[in-house]
């Protein structure tokens, strides 16, 4: 058989591009996911402990929400805003280290898969590669966020123009056509957004390999693999979503079934008694132990999903760098 052109695109390995983390050598997948899950679970439990004292303030917050339009002065508004700021501060305090841990996990996976380096010992290293991965993820996120904002503005402008044009005309048919055009425009914007999300998938892996933020090269790496990357992302999404729902509703069912006795006491209880029952329920062994196990399993699922979502981008990056299957073998007789 004739030798293919050197420009022949290497074939996409769907299994590798979707479930790459499971094929990592030297139990790296188990080590990455294990440490990431333990650290993130500990951070989540710490956040919950910080939020517990705020439960006693919740009735005051509800009262402030109900009376915000009344003449109660700035104290009520400041109390309400303080609740929001405290909650946001706790979320920010936890989300930053979680983001860095996930970036370190991706860096460890890229290190073995893209550069064939041996990752020994504790895999979540906060080195230069991790910071580059984290920074690239931020840049990609800002690009996506910017596109979303521009898309919203564009859709809003088009909708306003169509509504105005429909209002100026007395034709119901013309108004219907304008409405149809608006709907088609929204669908087109959604398709464009999905297209952009798929095309940016290899940017993080490419930036890791190039030792610099390589947005253009990462975007070019996905050329010719759009549908394969999209399929991999869809499969990972549906599998993780189904497992997530099973874990959430399963844990809620177990906790609810075991707490029926406590829940029945809420009937006829006043506000003070209800808050005491809430505190008692949240600190009961069933909720604490069951909730902690559910949190651990959901965090474990999130750790695995994070790596699998990045698998397609890493696989395409390696194919573009000549690390895929040998073309002569693929086209051999």
């Amino acid at each position: 058989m004739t030798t293919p052109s050197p420009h022949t695109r290497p074939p996409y390995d769907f299994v590798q591009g979707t479930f790459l983390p499971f094929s990592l050598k030297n139990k790296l997948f188990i080590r990455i996911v294990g440490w990431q899950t333990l650290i993130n679970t500990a951070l989540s439990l710490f956040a919950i402990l910080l939020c517990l004292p705020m439960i006693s303030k919740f009735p005051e917050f509800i009262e402030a929400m109900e009376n915000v339009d009344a003449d109660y002065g700035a104290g009520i508004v400041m109390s309400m805003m303080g609740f929001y700021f405290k909650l946001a501060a706790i979320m920010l305090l936890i989300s930053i280290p979680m983001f860095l841990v996930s970036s370190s996990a991706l860096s460890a996976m890229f290190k073995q898969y893209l550069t064939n380096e041996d990752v020994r010992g504790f895999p979540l290293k906060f080195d230069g590669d991790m910071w580059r991965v984290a920074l690239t993820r931020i840049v990609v996120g800002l690009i996506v966020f910017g596109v979303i904002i521009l898309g919203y503005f564009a859709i809003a402008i088009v909708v306003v123009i169509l509504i105005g044009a429909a209002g100026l005309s007395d034709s119901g048919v013309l108004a219907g056509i304008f409405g149809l055009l608006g709907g088609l425009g929204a669908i087109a914007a959604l398709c464009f957004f999905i297209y952009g999300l798929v095309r940016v998938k290899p940017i993080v892996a490419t930036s890791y390999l190039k030792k610099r933020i390589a947005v253009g090269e990462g975007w070019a790496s996905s050329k010719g693999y759009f549908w394969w990357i999209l399929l991999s992302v869809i499969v990972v999404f549906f599998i993780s979503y189904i497992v997530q729902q099973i874990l959430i509703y399963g844990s809620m069912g177990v906790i609810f079934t075991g707490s029926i006795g406590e829940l029945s006491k809420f009937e006829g209880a006043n506000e003070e008694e209800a808050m005491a029952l809430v505190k008692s329920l949240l600190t009961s062994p069933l909720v604490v132990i069951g909730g902690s196990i559910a949190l651990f399993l959901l965090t474990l699922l999130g750790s695995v999903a994070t790596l699998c979502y990045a698998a397609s981008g890493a696989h395409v990056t390696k194919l573009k760098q000549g690390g895929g299957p040998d073309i002569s073998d693929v086209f051999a007789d």
Side-chain angles (χ1 to χ4, degrees):
M1 186 174 181
T2 58
T3 304
S5 167
H7 300 291
T8 303
R9 187 172 63 247
Y12 184 91
D13 186 337
F14 176 74
V15 175
Q16 188 82 340
T18 308
F19 306 107
L20 164 64
F22 296 94
S23 65
L24 295 175
K25 302 174 182 178
N26 299 326
K27 300 181 180 179
L28 182 59
F29 169 71
I30 297 176
R31 288 188 286 133
I32 291 176
V33 171
W35 279 110
Q36 185 180 2
T37 302
L38 288 175
I39 294 173
N40 286 346
T41 301
L43 289 171
S44 299
L45 291 174
F46 178 64
I48 293 173
L49 291 176
L50 292 178
C51 290
L52 284 178
M54 299 174 63
I55 295 177
S56 60
K57 302 291 184 180
F58 195 70
E60 299 177 13
F61 174 74
I62 297 298
E63 183 180 358
M65 291 287 291
E66 294 174 348
N67 300 324
V68 68
D69 294 328
D71 188 16
Y72 280 84
I76 293 294
V77 177
M78 293 304 297
S79 175
M80 184 176 64
M81 295 302 296
F83 184 91
Y84 277 123
F85 284 136
K86 289 179 182 177
L87 187 62
I90 292 174
M91 294 300 102
L92 182 63
L93 178 67
I94 301 304
S95 61
I96 292 177
M98 282 186 172
F99 175 76
L100 295 178
V101 168
S102 64
S103 297
S104 181
L106 293 176
S107 176
M109 182 177 73
F110 295 156
K111 184 171 293 186
Q112 183 181 105
Y113 181 67
L114 295 178
T115 63
N116 296 317
E117 294 184 43
D118 190 12
V119 182
R120 296 187 176 275
F122 183 69
L124 305 181
K125 296 179 173 59
F126 293 85
D127 52 11
D129 290 332
M130 185 281 294
W131 290 107
R132 189 181 308 106
V133 169
L135 183 58
T136 305
R137 294 175 72 191
I138 292 174
V139 170
V140 172
L142 291 175
I143 293 174
V144 172
F145 179 74
V147 171
I148 292 175
I149 296 299
L150 291 176
Y152 274 128
F153 275 113
I155 292 174
I157 292 172
V158 171
V159 169
V160 169
I161 294 174
L162 291 175
I163 291 176
L168 293 175
S169 67
D170 296 328
S171 173
V173 175
L174 189 59
I177 293 175
F178 286 151
L180 178 61
L181 291 175
L184 292 176
I187 295 175
L190 177 61
C191 293
F192 175 76
F193 176 66
I194 294 175
Y195 175 79
L197 284 181
V198 172
R199 291 299 303 271
V200 302
K201 289 294 289 181
I203 291 179
V204 177
T206 303
S207 298
Y208 176 89
L209 196 61
K210 298 293 184 180
K211 302 295 182 182
R212 56 181 171 79
I213 298 178
V215 176
E217 293 170 83
W219 176 278
S221 295
S222 59
K223 183 179 180 180
Y225 296 104
F226 173 83
W227 294 109
W228 282 113
I229 297 175
L230 179 60
L231 181 60
S232 292
V233 172
I234 290 175
V235 169
V236 173
F237 171 78
F238 276 108
I239 292 177
S240 59
Y241 178 79
I242 292 172
V243 175
Q244 180 191 58
Q245 296 305 303
I246 292 174
L247 291 176
I248 291 176
Y249 286 104
S251 59
M252 288 177 59
V254 171
I255 293 175
F256 178 79
T257 302
S259 305
I260 291 180
E262 289 293 322
L263 293 173
S264 63
K265 298 178 182 179
F266 280 90
E267 186 175 356
N270 57 37
E271 185 177 285
E272 184 177 346
E273 292 172 340
M275 288 306 303
L277 287 172
V278 169
K279 292 180 181 179
S280 174
L281 184 63
L282 291 177
T283 55
S284 65
L286 176 63
V287 173
V288 172
I289 297 175
S292 299
I293 294 175
L295 177 63
F296 176 83
L297 293 176
L298 287 170
T299 306
L300 174 63
L301 174 64
S303 301
V304 175
T306 299
L307 296 178
C308 288
Y309 275 123
S312 56
H315 181 53
V316 167
T317 298
K318 190 166 186 177
L319 291 178
K320 288 292 185 177
Q321 297 301 319
D326 190 339
I327 299 300
S328 61
D329 293 336
V330 173
F331 289 90
D333 291 328

